[in-house]
Amino acid sequence: MTENAQQQPPAPSTDLPTQYAPADVEGPLYERWVERGYFEADAKSDKPPYTIVIPPPNVTGSLHLGHAFQHTLMDALTRRKRMQGYEALWLPGMDHAGIATQNKVEQQLAEEGKSRHDLGREEFVERVWQWKEEYGGRILGQMRRLGDGVDWSRERFTMDEGLSKAVLTIFKRLYDDELIYRAERIINWCPRCLTAISDIEVEYQEDAGELVSIRYGEGEDSLVVATTRAETMLGDTAVAVHPDDERYQHLIGKQIKLPLTDRTIPVVADTHVDPEFGTGAVKVTPAHDPNDFEIGRRHDLPSLTIMDEHGVITVHGPFIGLDRFEARSAVVGALKEQGRIVAEKRPYMHSVGHCSRCKTTVEPRLSMQWWVKVGPLAKAAGDAVRDGRVKIHPEDMSKRYFDWVDNMHDWCISRQLWWGHRIPIWYGPDGEVVCVGPDDEPPTGEGWTQDSDVLDTWFSSGLWPFSTLGWPEKTPDLKKFYPTDVLLTGHDIIFFWVARMMMFGLYAMDGQAPFHTIALTGLVRDEFGKKMSKSNPNAVDPLVWMDAYGSDAVRFTLANGANPGADVPIGEDWVKASRNFTNKIWNATRFALMNGATIEGPLPDASEMSAADRWILSRLNTTVAQVDAYYDDYQFAKLADALYHFAWDEVFDWYVELSKTTFFAGGEPARVSGRVLGEVLDVMLRLLHPVIPFVTDALWTTLTGGESLVVGDWPKDSGFRDKAAEQEIELVQRVITEVRRFRKDQGLKDGQKVPARLDLTGTVLAPHEAAIRQLLRLQPEGDAFTATATLPVAGAEVALDLSGTIDVAAERKRLAKDLAAAEKEKAQANAKLGNEAFLAKAPDHVVDKIRTRLAKAEEDIARIQAQLERLPQA
């Protein structure tokens, strides 16, 4: 075959643009999918159901990388199941996000010089609805940019009519079953948001405080307590010591004077006290500390509230009206004047709770609130995982789940807000308490009032898997799509949301858990492993990356980092690499279409195929099986990696390149390979579609003339394997790889042609000589051929004439210089590692670095010596 023939491919036969432009493809393509109803699920279908409900983003939210990450994985799961013939429902919606949304609207009002109290409750709630219509739900439009294949016809909102009915229904059922009650307990109170917040809405961080030691009592009847919250001593009603602490036996049961007040308080014995910590005596403030509250209950101590809802002191004249932090300094100053400070204030780092929404320091506060008795509900949630009805993936995350559900405290569900589901309890003039269900008429008449609190946002979102399907009505959707198949969410909300859904689903749905599998992901981090946040410069708006590189590139990058339960580092360079991958798919498919790739007609018989044809079909089916196994195990990173290497390495870099000589030659072999290439591209694009839906659909419809991959069939492993062809092509790859490495070592440019003689006698490589020569830029040997370098590889021999391509003497001189440098490096590293005195003093990381240098030097020496041996004699 002449070089001329190799350089004359057939004329183009495709309408694909020469370059892939995501902006021109993605938006119009998504709208076409939606208009054609591809994502809408049919409850009347005979197909088996597959259901995922989207973790409802806050109505205040916008798409961030965490959303994009989880949505990519959920979309991939749903798209694949739809292609496999399931009636796939991915249900979207939003959460009303009580505190966050109310804060947004209150900030708006503050800019107008108003507060919610200026409007009143009804007008304020109406204002929030207006805000929701105008600003809420931005994230839903952004989800379209990402390519989310959700059923928009079923979009839900936690405050819509149907979901509100579900909230009222389950509240009344729980209330009637005595699983909801009202009680005065210590709660986490946010003085900024002016509401109770649950334990899981408190973020703890190490804050710098000051430990103050204070003497209570007089003379022998005195003891010292240490505290970081001196202001709360105004509410002390006891001092507690351990019952076995000999230092305080004479004080147990006695009354001692509480400084700065006219009160005396008892010394009580309680095993909660650690006699080894501090002085072994602790102040007890039942109204302002959860542990103290329990001590107070055990010893029947009074609870004195000393602060109002804003964290302002309300008792003891000199301190009334002071903010809690101002009062802290003032109380310490007053104690100093009385000589009660027995040790100077000293710095003390301690864990302090902060409101997860506004970051204000949380104040433990005694308050009358509504609670869910979680004992039986949490037990059911634990049992469902233990007996295998629900599987947690990865399995090692189960421990975190059990740690929570097995030790769950009763759940404070009331919030002192106006935006949310109002608690359906009515109080009568004579102390009556009535719970009103969705079909009940609220009591009327003078003196009847509804509870002013609303329910915790997580109460309504805990119903999400079944309330979105129409519960409490027995709807076709509920019958078809509940329980859902998989909950895919971050491990950080096991406590917030996962456990709530498990408890409510099992309770409301007669023991049917809300999902079969809980697939937990990690969190998205920057490329250095640091947490992304808006307050850090490392936060990334995924829409910016989508604009620059396309949504497919962002999606593939996220999927490629998704190892179960592990955090996902991501950087812009990785998105660029994924963009290059989508471009490669586009360009290579375009080339294939120009060179006869087709899906017309049946696949030729294996006897008609070349070894390269049989090899790629064998590898294709292996890849199908691998990808299926990875999907079923939620191994997104592995399936993305397998698809990447199959597409780029095996299809484009090897099969297409090996087949070019066949395509250029034409005839029956070209027709066979064209049909094989068409088959490979068809299946490959199907496999890639769930992760990168846009570029694959655009290419597949061009290749096949089909309607859309969204409603295409998922490929199946045909069982075709050809180990002989795989071994044969592996030998071809070895020859080409070895010679390429040698060329690179000799400094030859990629396109530089070299005369060569190939001795392939007695090997399976003979039919591949033309392809090997083309891929290695090897010219025929010619009459003046002189073998200056010979490479034995894979049972064959490749002789090269380098006399006209490199200066052998100069190359030997360069390599000798490199060899001397590597040997010097080796000698220096060996000298240090052989020095006992150095090893005894040097840090481990320094020693490890030198060992690494030694290994590198030895590797360089071996490589350079091999290069010198291969060079012809000068």
Side-chain angles (χ1 to χ4, degrees):
M1 183 181 300
T2 67
E3 287 182 25
N4 224 14
Q6 293 181 17
Q7 294 171 356
Q8 300 293 328
S13 60
T14 174
D15 295 329
L16 286 174
T18 55
Q19 290 185 322
Y20 178 50
D24 295 340
V25 171
E26 293 176 350
L29 190 52
Y30 186 84
E31 293 309 314
R32 196 178 313 140
W33 294 337
V34 174
E35 287 165 8
R36 292 179 178 178
Y38 292 157
F39 305 139
E40 294 180 16
D42 182 2
K44 297 178 183 178
S45 166
D46 293 331
K47 296 178 182 178
Y50 183 82
T51 318
I52 296 179
V53 291
I54 209 164
N58 286 354
V59 69
T60 59
S62 58
L63 191 73
H64 57 65
L65 274 173
H67 288 128
F69 169 54
Q70 291 177 1
H71 287 207
T72 293
L73 306 188
M74 285 184 278
D75 195 31
L77 290 172
T78 311
R79 285 177 181 270
R80 172 176 175 257
K81 285 296 183 179
R82 188 179 291 115
M83 294 173 74
Q84 286 182 314
Y86 286 78
E87 195 62 41
L89 169 61
W90 186 20
L91 193 147
M94 292 184 297
D95 191 285
H96 67 278
I99 295 177
T101 308
Q102 178 156 323
N103 280 346
K104 287 279 188 185
V105 179
E106 289 199 75
Q107 288 166 13
Q108 255 189 3
L109 289 173
E111 293 171 3
E112 300 169 16
K114 298 177 183 177
S115 75
R116 61 180 162 127
H117 300 285
D118 294 323
L119 275 63
R121 184 168 192 142
E122 287 188 16
E123 190 177 340
F124 176 77
V125 170
E126 179 57 34
R127 180 74 175 258
V128 180
W129 277 108
Q130 291 171 10
W131 182 93
K132 185 258 180 186
E133 294 304 317
E134 186 173 355
Y135 299 104
R138 285 175 299 166
I139 192 171
L140 298 179
Q142 294 164 345
M143 285 161 55
R144 302 171 87 94
R145 281 289 315 279
L146 187 64
D148 282 8
V150 296
D151 186 345
W152 292 110
S153 71
R154 284 179 167 85
E155 180 190 332
R156 303 305 299 267
F157 179 52
T158 50
M159 288 281 286
D160 68 26
E161 185 178 350
L163 271 65
S164 295
K165 182 177 182 180
V167 168
L168 295 176
T169 301
I170 201 160
F171 187 99
K172 181 160 177 59
R173 288 190 187 179
L174 290 164
Y175 181 85
D176 290 346
D177 286 345
E178 298 182 349
L179 292 173
I180 283 182
Y181 65 94
R182 193 173 186 233
E184 193 175 42
R185 300 276 178 83
I186 287 283
I187 49 92
N188 304 297
W189 181 264
C190 176
R192 159 63 184 78
C193 298
L194 295 180
T195 182
I197 58 177
S198 66
D199 292 344
I200 50 181
E201 293 170 303
V202 178
E203 292 179 348
Y204 287 91
Q205 64 185 47
E206 291 295 312
D207 284 2
E210 291 181 324
L211 198 63
V212 181
S213 297
I214 310 167
R215 181 173 297 280
Y216 285 23
E218 305 292 345
E220 292 185 359
D221 291 345
S222 68
L223 40 67
V224 175
V225 300
T227 181
T228 58
R229 304 183 68 215
E231 73 282 3
T232 62
M233 67 162 293
L234 301 173
D236 285 357
T237 56
V239 172
V241 297
H242 194 277
D244 299 331
D245 194 331
E246 294 182 359
R247 293 170 293 177
Y248 303 117
Q249 291 297 312
H250 67 292
L251 288 177
I252 294 173
K254 284 189 177 183
Q255 296 280 327
I256 60 172
K257 183 171 175 53
L258 178 66
L260 304 184
T261 73
D262 295 326
R263 295 189 291 118
T264 60
I265 57 176
V267 177
V268 299
D270 196 284
T271 54
H272 171 76
V273 179
D274 180 0
E276 301 298 322
F277 183 78
T279 64
V282 297
K283 58 191 289 299
V284 181
T285 320
H288 291 278
D289 184 275
N291 293 322
D292 293 2
F293 177 77
E294 295 301 326
I295 293 174
R297 291 217 299 183
R298 287 194 288 272
H299 298 277
D300 198 24
L301 300 173
S303 297
L304 303 181
T305 299
I306 64 163
M307 294 180 209
D308 68 10
E309 61 198 28
H310 298 280
V312 172
I313 303 297
T314 58
V315 300
H316 203 68
F319 310 109
I320 291 175
L322 294 180
D323 170 85
R324 53 188 169 153
F325 300 117
E326 296 171 336
R328 185 170 300 170
S329 298
V331 167
V332 171
L335 289 167
K336 270 188 175 179
E337 289 180 8
Q338 291 189 5
R340 291 284 177 177
I341 302 295
V342 300
E344 287 298 317
K345 294 186 294 183
R346 62 183 188 273
Y348 183 75
M349 295 298 294
H350 59 142
S351 182
V352 178
H354 296 261
C355 174
S356 62
R357 290 176 177 83
C358 70
K359 311 308 176 187
T360 300
T361 300
V362 167
E363 187 63 43
R365 188 168 189 254
L366 186 64
S367 180
M368 183 68 75
Q369 301 285 344
W370 286 95
W371 304 81
V372 171
K373 186 186 294 183
V374 300
L377 303 174
K379 182 182 184 304
D383 290 345
V385 174
R386 286 190 170 94
D387 64 23
R389 279 175 288 159
V390 178
K391 297 188 182 303
I392 293 179
H393 188 88
E395 191 175 350
D396 58 12
M397 284 282 179
S398 298
K399 183 180 184 302
R400 295 187 66 183
Y401 176 81
F402 291 130
D403 284 348
W404 180 250
V405 297
D406 293 347
N407 301 286
M408 195 183 297
H409 300 298
D410 283 1
W411 172 19
C412 177
I413 55 171
S414 45
R415 298 291 181 268
Q416 289 64 54
L417 304 171
W418 287 354
W419 173 245
H421 296 99
R422 194 164 175 181
I423 289 178
I425 295 289
W426 291 74
Y427 305 107
D430 298 319
E432 302 96 332
V433 178
V434 176
C435 181
V436 178
D439 301 319
D440 301 333
E441 288 294 328
T444 58
E446 188 176 346
W448 282 93
T449 58
Q450 186 177 0
D451 195 299
S452 60
D453 289 351
V454 301
L455 287 163
D456 178 11
T457 293
W458 298 102
F459 190 94
S460 53
S461 60
L463 314 180
W464 190 252
F466 51 95
S467 65
T468 52
L469 297 172
W471 187 90
E473 307 302 327
K474 294 181 178 179
T475 64
D477 276 5
L478 193 64
K479 182 179 180 181
K480 177 77 173 179
F481 297 112
Y482 187 92
T484 67
D485 285 85
V486 60
L487 170 72
L488 190 144
T489 191
H491 61 64
D492 56 324
I493 61 170
I494 291 178
F495 323 124
F496 285 95
W497 192 45
V498 178
R500 311 295 193 213
M501 288 189 290
M502 285 288 285
M503 291 192 302
F504 282 168
L506 290 160
Y507 173 79
M509 299 300 294
D510 300 321
Q512 270 195 311
F515 16 75
H516 300 304
T517 301
I518 301 168
L520 297 171
T521 70
L523 307 179
V524 177
R525 297 183 178 273
D526 72 11
E527 59 194 301
F528 305 107
K530 293 181 180 178
K531 183 178 179 180
M532 287 189 179
S533 70
K534 292 179 181 176
S535 58
N536 290 336
N538 66 351
V540 174
D541 180 351
L543 295 172
V544 173
W545 282 353
M546 288 185 216
D547 289 341
Y549 308 112
S551 298
D552 281 335
V554 174
R555 289 172 62 114
F556 191 81
T557 306
L558 291 165
N560 205 29
N563 289 298
D567 288 348
V568 183
I570 184 171
E572 188 168 7
D573 285 346
W574 304 341
V575 184
K576 289 179 182 177
S578 296
R579 184 270 317 273
N580 295 344
F581 179 49
T582 60
N583 286 345
K584 180 75 171 181
I585 296 170
W586 182 273
N587 295 334
T589 303
R590 184 174 180 276
F591 171 85
L593 289 168
M594 292 165 58
N595 287 275
T598 180
I599 63 161
E600 292 181 8
L603 267 178
D605 188 77
S607 62
E608 301 176 59
M609 297 179 189
S610 68
D613 294 335
R614 299 194 307 277
W615 165 74
I616 197 62
L617 287 175
S618 183
R619 292 296 307 134
L620 175 68
N621 282 287
T622 298
T623 302
V624 171
Q626 283 180 334
V627 169
D628 275 333
Y630 290 145
Y631 262 116
D632 292 341
D633 198 34
Y634 304 98
Q635 297 278 0
F636 296 99
K638 289 183 179 179
L639 72 88
D641 187 66
L643 287 169
Y644 177 91
H645 288 294
F646 175 73
W648 193 309
D649 298 346
E650 296 185 305
V651 177
F652 302 142
D653 278 0
W654 283 111
Y655 179 68
V656 170
E657 294 299 320
L658 287 170
S659 301
K660 277 183 178 178
T661 53
T662 302
F663 289 136
F664 295 158
E668 183 61 14
R671 186 197 68 78
V672 170
S673 291
R675 180 64 187 88
V676 170
L677 181 53
E679 182 76 11
V680 171
L681 291 175
D682 177 16
V683 174
M684 182 195 76
L685 291 170
R686 292 173 194 265
L687 290 174
L688 283 163
H689 175 74
V691 179
I692 48 174
F694 294 109
V695 68
T696 51
D697 200 42
L699 291 171
W700 184 85
T701 51
T702 302
L703 170 70
T704 67
E707 182 182 350
S708 173
L709 263 181
V710 180
V711 289
D713 293 330
W714 183 252
K716 295 179 180 178
D717 176 6
S718 71
F720 178 83
R721 300 290 191 279
D722 192 324
K723 290 298 180 186
E726 289 193 35
Q727 292 170 358
E728 182 172 328
I729 298 303
E730 283 173 11
L731 291 176
V732 175
Q733 291 171 325
R734 276 181 57 192
V735 170
I736 293 170
T737 301
E738 286 296 316
V739 176
R740 278 177 174 166
R741 184 179 295 122
F742 176 75
R743 285 176 59 110
K744 183 177 179 181
D745 289 344
Q746 306 311 313
L748 296 178
K749 294 178 181 178
D750 291 342
Q752 192 169 352
K753 295 182 173 64
V754 178
R757 180 176 64 240
L758 273 61
D759 183 359
L760 308 178
T761 306
T763 74
V764 295
L765 298 170
H768 304 282
E769 180 170 353
I772 292 171
R773 283 187 175 277
Q774 179 182 331
L775 290 173
L776 290 173
R777 306 291 190 270
L778 302 180
Q779 294 178 311
E781 52 193 282
D783 296 335
F785 178 82
T786 302
T788 57
T790 302
L791 282 75
V793 57
E797 189 174 88
V798 179
L800 304 173
D801 183 352
L802 303 178
S803 57
T805 57
I806 61 171
D807 183 333
V808 175
E811 185 63 13
R812 280 190 171 279
K813 186 175 180 181
R814 182 185 71 80
L815 289 173
K817 183 179 179 182
D818 290 347
L819 181 62
E823 288 173 337
K824 182 180 180 181
E825 177 74 2
K826 177 183 176 181
Q828 290 175 341
N830 273 326
K832 286 189 176 181
L833 293 173
N835 185 333
E836 294 296 333
F838 169 78
L839 292 176
K841 294 179 182 179
D844 290 345
H845 73 275
V846 171
V847 176
D848 289 343
K849 189 173 181 180
I850 293 170
R851 288 194 177 111
T852 301
R853 283 170 50 194
L854 174 61
K856 176 68 167 55
E858 290 174 338
E859 182 182 309
D860 288 344
I861 290 168
R863 175 179 55 79
I864 296 167
Q865 287 175 338
Q867 289 176 242
L868 284 167
E869 289 173 6
R870 288 173 178 170
L871 276 176
Q873 296 300 313

